[in-house]
Structures are given as C-alpha cells and as structure tokens.
C-alpha cells in the first residue's frame, strides 16, 4: 500500500478534521454538491494540488462538477513528478491510504495499464500531486476506485503516449480523468494574473498545441501541463473554466511571489 506523504501538512491527518476542512472548501468555493443528474457527461477535470488552505476551495469546483454529473466507475488521477522519478510515466497498482482509509485501485484497468507503462509504488512514495486529490475523491465517493499515474516527462509526445495507454486500458469502463496541476509558481501577482488567464484560455480552447506553444513561449512554470494535455486529448468536448485564483487571494501570502490555481471541467464529445 502507498502510505500518505503529506497528511498533516498539506491537509489534516485526523479524519474528522479533514472532513470538516473539505466541507469548508466547498462552502468557501462552489458550495456543497446539490444532487446528482446521472448524466455522466464529464470526462475530465483540472484540479490544483497545493495545501487545502491555499487551493482547496478552487479544487472543490472540480469535484462538485463530478458529484453533480454522476460518479464514475473509476478515477484516473494523473499528476506531475516533482522529485525526478526515472520514468516517462509510472502508475501505482497499490491502494492509496489517506486519513479516510484505503482507496482501492481499479484492478482491471490497473492490470491492463501495467502492460503499457511501468508500475512502481516507490516512484509514488514522496509525490503529493496525486495524493492531495484522493481525499476529495473519497469525500464525494466513499467507494471510489482510482488508478494513480505520475508523469515524469511532459512533452507533447509523452502526453500522446500516455493518453493512448490510458484510453486502451480504460476501454469498456466509465472513468473520469483528474489532471492535477497548479498554475504559475512564485511570481508577482500581476504577472500571475496575466499568464494564468492566458493559460486557462488556452486550455478552454481545447487546442493542446496552443497550450504547449504558450508554455514554451512564455516559459510558464505550470507544473502539470502534461496531465492537463492528456485530459484534453481524452475528452474532445467542451471545456469550461470553473475558477482561477492564487495563494495571495486564498491566504494573503506574499503578493510578490504567488502560486496560481485553476479548476476546469472537460466534457465528452
């Protein structure tokens, strides 16, 4: 099993306190989910992965969209690598443990996917980008099953390869992709506002090439543009930006060195 690395720092380690904080994220953000349409039109979401005090209210927008649309059979959680794992992409077939308990891996999808990409729990040991999404998933879906993936390389070709592998492994299953990413990092707020707006507009356009052109041209420090690209490639429908904020707006920390956060929902074609 994969033991939590950032419980007690990015989010509370006590399950009662954690549930209260996630509920507060919804109340301060979009509000608690209100019913379920059962449409299952959502194919993917973008959700930030900072500490919950910083980005939890922003993330709640994405998870409310899933809860109100209808719960899938499995959640494919794709996050960027922050520690230098020696893989282009790497999955984890062992269950993730959080203060809410064990979150099981979807066995059939994982079995198929491990034939296509490496499977190594050690590569997931320190990484927070997938972990911080899991308690939110468990909050809206206590019986959730996940497939965690870390992207070590985020070129367009790497994103295309991972998208092809995920599509093949998920064939015949009802899934939602969760692309875990923050936006620009440690820059003055006016610059963050401009660049994050441009980046989210590029995401909303549905044009993966425009996302890569912008990242390369402006040298953007968006940490998870690869997972976002994979989600876009696997969606094909309308993309709606739900929220955009930053660490100064959420916790009032250092206007000259903010981290940006965004949430978006992607629909099936």
């Amino acid at each position: 099993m994969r033991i939590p690395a950032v419980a007690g720092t990015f989010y509370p380690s006590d399950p009662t306190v954690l549930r209260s904080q996630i509920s507060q994220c919804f109340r301060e953000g979009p509000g608690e989910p209100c019913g379920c349409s059962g449409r299952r039109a959502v194919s993917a979401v973008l959700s930030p992965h900072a500490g919950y005090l910083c980005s939890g209210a922003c993330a709640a927008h994405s998870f409310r969209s899933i809860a109100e649309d209808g719960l899938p059979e499995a959640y494919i959680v794709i996050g960027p690598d922050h520690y230098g794992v020696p893989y282009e992409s790497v999955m984890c077939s062992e269950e993730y443990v959080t203060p809410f308990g064990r979150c099981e891996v979807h066995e059939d999808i994982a079995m198929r996917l491990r034939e296509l990409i490496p499977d190594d729990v050690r590569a997931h040991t320190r990484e927070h980008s997938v972990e911080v999404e899991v308690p939110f998933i468990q909050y809206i879906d206590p019986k959730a099953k996940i497939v965690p993936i870390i992207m070590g390389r985020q070129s367009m070709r790497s994103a295309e390869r991972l998208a092809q592998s995920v599509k093949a492994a998920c064939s015949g299953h009802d899934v939602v992709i969760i692309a875990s990413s923050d936006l620009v990092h440690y820059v003055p707020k006016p610059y963050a506002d401009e660049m994050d707006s441009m980046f989210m507009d590029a995401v909303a356009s549905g044009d993966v090439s425009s996302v890569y052109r912008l990242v390369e041209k402006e040298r953007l420090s968006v940490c998870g543009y690869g997972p976002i690209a994979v989600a876009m490639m696997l969606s094909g429908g309308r993309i709606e930006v739900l929220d955009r904020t930053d660490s100064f707006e959420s916790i009032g920390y250092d206007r000259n060195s903010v981290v940006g956060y965004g949430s978006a929902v992607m629909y099936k074609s």
Side-chain angles (χ1 to χ4, degrees), residues 6-7 9 11 18 32 37 42 61 77 108-109 111 114 121 128 143 173 180 189 202 208 212 237 253 255 267:
V6 294
T9 52
Y11 59 87
L18 175 58
E32 291 277 359
S37 70
V42 171
H61 286 267
V77 189
D108 187 56
I109 297 174
M111 180 180 66
R114 76 165 65 96
V121 66
H128 64 276
K143 297 181 179 180
H173 294 289
S180 177
K189 181 170 172 52
V208 176
Y212 276 91
Y253 182 76
R255 184 182 178 87
Y267 293 97

Side-chain angles (χ1 to χ4, degrees), residues 91 108-119 165 168-169:
M91 63 174 285
D108 187 56
I109 297 174
M111 180 180 66
R112 295 182 189 179
L113 189 59
R114 76 165 65 96
E115 299 297 321
L116 303 170
I117 68 172
D119 177 11
S165 296

Side-chain angles (χ1 to χ4, degrees), residues 54-180:
C54 296
S55 66
C58 182
H61 286 267
S62 292
F63 289 100
R64 175 173 167 159
S65 72
I66 296 172
E68 292 186 344
D69 178 66
L71 301 178
E73 180 184 344
Y75 302 81
I76 313 301
V77 189
I78 309 175
D81 166 45
H82 291 83
Y83 293 98
V85 298
Y87 300 103
E88 181 176 58
S89 295
V90 56
M91 63 174 285
C92 174
S93 61
E94 298 189 22
E95 59 194 6
Y96 263 54
V97 177
T98 80
F100 289 150
R102 299 179 178 184
C103 189
E104 295 182 2
V105 168
H106 191 287
E107 291 185 3
D108 187 56
I109 297 174
M111 180 180 66
R112 295 182 189 179
L113 189 59
R114 76 165 65 96
E115 299 297 321
L116 303 170
I117 68 172
D119 177 11
D120 188 349
V121 66
R122 296 170 300 174
H124 287 245
T125 300
R126 299 172 62 196
E127 182 55 57
H128 64 276
S129 64
V130 170
E131 177 184 330
V132 297
E133 310 294 356
V134 179
F136 266 99
I137 294 171
Q138 292 173 302
Y139 183 86
I140 65 167
D141 187 354
K143 297 181 179 180
K145 294 186 177 182
I146 63 172
V147 178
I149 303 170
I150 293 170
M151 287 189 75
R153 293 194 287 276
Q154 299 189 59
S155 69
M156 185 181 291
R157 186 65 189 120
S158 293
E160 289 170 345
R161 280 192 286 266
L162 181 57
Q164 291 167 2
S165 296
V166 170
K167 182 177 181 179
C170 294
S171 177
H173 294 289
D174 177 25
V175 306
V176 165
I177 310 296
I178 297 178
S180 177

Side-chain angles (χ1 to χ4, degrees), residues 193-234:
D193 288 340
E194 179 184 5
M195 292 297 110
D196 285 350
S197 178
M198 291 172 62
F199 181 81
M200 294 301 283
D201 285 348
V203 171
S205 76
D207 182 359
V208 176
S209 296
S210 72
V211 171
Y212 276 91
R213 284 195 300 269
L214 180 63
V215 169
E216 292 166 4
K217 177 183 177 182
E218 301 294 342
R219 299 181 181 273
L220 297 185
S221 54
V222 175
C223 58
Y225 59 90
I228 295 169
V230 173
M232 294 171 69
M233 292 171 183
L234 292 172

